[in-house]
Amino acid sequence: MQEKYLPSEIEGAAQAQWAASQAYRAHDASDRPKYYCLSMFPYPSGKLHMGHVRNYTIGDVLARYHTLRGYNVMQPMGWDAFGLPAENAAIANSVPPATWTYANIDHMRAQLQALGFAIDWSRELATCKPDYYRWEQWLFTRLFEKGVIYKKMASVNWDPVDATVLANEQVIEGRGWRSGALVEKRDIPMYFFRITQYADELLSGLDSLPGWPERVKTMQANWIGKSVGVRFAFPYTIDGQDDQLWVFTTRADTIMGVTFCAVAAEHPLATRAARDNPALATFIAECKQGSVAEADMATMEKKGMDTGLSVTHPLTGEAIPVWVGNYVLMSYGEGAVMAVPAHDERDFGFAKKYGLPIKQVIDARESARQLQQAIADTRANRALSAEEADYAEELAEHTTEFTDRVWQEWYGSKAGVCINSGKYDGLDYTAAVDAIAADLEALNLGEKKTQFRLRDWGISRQRYWGCPIPIVHCDTCGDVPVPAGQLPVVLPEDVVPDGSGNPLNKRADFVNCSCPKCGAPARRETDTMDTFVESSWYYARYACPDFDGGMFDARANDWLPVDQYIGGIEHAILHLLYARFFHKLMRDEGLFGAEYVRSGPALSPTLPQAGRGQTLGPNRFDEPFANLLTQGMVIADTYYREAADGKKTWFNPADVELRDGVATLKSDGQPVIAGGTEKMSKSKNNGVDPQALIDQYGADTARLFTMFAAPPEQSLEWSDAGVEGAHRFLKRLWKLVYEHVQGGPLPNPLPLAGEGANARPKRINDLRRQLHQTIQKVSDDIERRKQFNTAIAAVMELMNALARLEGDDAMTRSVRQEALEAAVVMLAPIVPHIAEALHAELGPGAAMTWPVVDESALVQDEIELMLQVNGKLRGQIRVAATAPREAIEAMALASEAAQKHLEGRPPKKVVVVPGRLVNIVV
RNA sequence: GCCGGGAUGGCGGAAUCGGUAGACGCAGCGGAUUCAAAAUCCGCCGCUGGUAACAGUGUGGGGGUUCGAGUCCCCCUCCCGGCACCA
């Protein structure tokens, strides 16, 4: 055995051996339970960044752990290869996006391989390849014919100078990123998926996902935003025509307080009013400026203008003025809202600004008063609990008078009763909504309706580098889907975009075609699909990436669902919701989950086992990802210098030297300014190149540090010193094994486990107890808690104890062998290369299996309890592990520490928490 | 603006079900080894007072529940993620 730990040597050898033996090939036919472990595939941006290293190491730890536990593991990898950055690179360097993308993929694949991930590379796929996206096009045509996909107008950001559609991130402070032109909203036709048709199932399905983080499920539920309300109309007559203005509200109980309506700038009423109102026309044009991003809409100043038109209140018959509001969106709901300034904060602000009337119709004070009366009655009978007293106090704050001067929280409360509302006076929220909905329905002017915040998914992109939408536009036949036999519609790869519109429009060879229905000359659709479409089904294609007879074969049934999905928290809503939606679409198309004909032996489905993570129930094809782990960002320090004109130059932390709290640039020795710790990014130049790390310390050190520095779900702060600490641990581990192996062969089997503990010295039993406690903890940390930093810390503690264990007798050497063997296997998921090398040195020939806990090693006769007096720690007592409560109490009271702090006072109460502490209350 | 998270020593973090706050690692300090340095090994290390024993104090800020709160409840501040065309 080598005395020195040489990472490059052992890592190269291990990787070569894994490749030669196809060690990580997932077997389609196996009698072992399957474990499908998937990390979100990367966008091939050029180089791997630390976020990737972290993501894929987490996945690899779980994959390797389950392999050691006897599962048939599949861990695939691929490329989310379509997208905007390739077009940006093309504009900057005049390279076709395809060329750039394929070069990046080759580079990043090599980097992933250097990190030693247990990936089945035979399943690799890239979404920009026709053999992948042809099935996306095929599914599109089926869904189009089924009506799941439809066409409608939608708003986009339009750059009038570059004559191109901009992504939201390309709009900076209302201007195009390259041209600097003021961005406008423009309506263009787009294809939409009817995701709203699945809204209910997407919402209720969250309940079948115990293996998902609660916060992700909450975010998705809020995003879907199911609300029950009333859709109703304000009738009006204009140009001698009777018509109706429809709105939706969740606060129908406040309908008697409507003092105006607001419509979107694009609403027909607004357009009609602007016809003979030039000022309004100008205002409407102004509303069309700016980006379509919701965050911008929500934070901008709320502006409006009177249309001069009015509609009739359906219940009171009053004339209600109609305003145009820049905050009302045509694409949301009806493009119009009723405004109740007294009970909606936004309406209140708007009314104040434009001097519109505010009419109170809800009195939350009344309900507060009733509750207070109830509390007073209770008080007369008994004392209030602390909780009740709190509540009473809170209620008291809600009894101030209504005033139209300042908004107060309780104005928006649903916990009130109607006032100033005629026949509805005195009704509470539910009763008022019911009564009002019934009256509107009787007038044929409204009904109760369930509405979702979720909108249909627009997938048309006016870009080149994406999956072509397989539609042909024919003058006579309309939009005709490309027949299956003519798929794929291949994207030409020799194109260099120039930033002004979609270059596909200029490609006659792509655009010109004949109608599949009538054969007449026709035009091919040049919009491509949202790249979220590709990432919505790739996980299923990994089961059968080589299948060219259809989207999936029977192997998809075997491997789905994904047992563990790992990716960034930034995907909590969009990607994960779209993938869940797609899964249901594909299920309903019978692509998996239905009856199928299989050839060859089947996989065993994942066995639900205690503590083995969550497994989906009987409907295992309803959801794509049984368990989800959302990892945090990788962040690092930033440093910059500011030029006279305020322009900042950012320096990479690797080029900065820190001494006595002063940061200087290594190259010139002059100081730089610390700019805080932020997400690693190109713009702040604070990225750490994983390659440099691998070159200097090896892949195992990079993996160990990223797993040790923080738990997966938190953000991870980069630290070069911390990396060295991780490397030092591996060197210590190597040395411990080296010194042990130098001692020569040991008896087989080791004389340790089972009975006879009494015959062994205490230091041996103590070490074995720690060893088996560590096995227990590490198993639980990896499998259930998915918290690897504490698992590593536990093994480090074990190694520290082992280093302190002295003696060269057979017993000591045996326990050392047992501990080292177990430690090496426990670390193997995290640092597989060194683990493999050390395992070979410790137990020649034997295959690695996860260590088993020896329960007998865990037994303890005596335990230590903390002793508190009035909740303050005052000492410890040692008691027999089996001591009864009374004996513990007596010992505690008799103890010196207790006597000292009791100062003769009699104990009022003694709290005994078994195995933990004793608290004496005086 | 709305939705979801987070805040613990000089630093990253631990404390899993309300029960010893600071495991493990980094940095720092002291020592061993060395001609010297690097590497390695050993010890100390929240803050305040004290030679010490010990005492007080301490988990972003304010209030509360409890024998006991980093953990639960209410209010506030700051930071981060998402907001439908970045992926």
Side-chain angles (χ1 to χ4, degrees), chain A residues 39-43 56 77-80 125 127 534-535 538 542:
Chain A
S39 295
M40 291 181 186
F41 63 169
Y43 178 78
Y56 302 136
M77 183 57 69
W79 310 95
D80 189 13
L125 56 81
T127 57
E534 285 91 63
S535 55
Y538 77 110
Y542 278 135

Side-chain angles (χ1 to χ4, degrees), chain A residues 690-712:
Chain A
Q691 197 59 52
L693 199 65
I694 296 168
D695 294 345
Q696 193 177 352
Y697 297 104
D700 280 339
T701 296
R703 296 169 58 118
L704 180 63
F705 176 73
T706 48
M707 292 301 96
F708 180 63

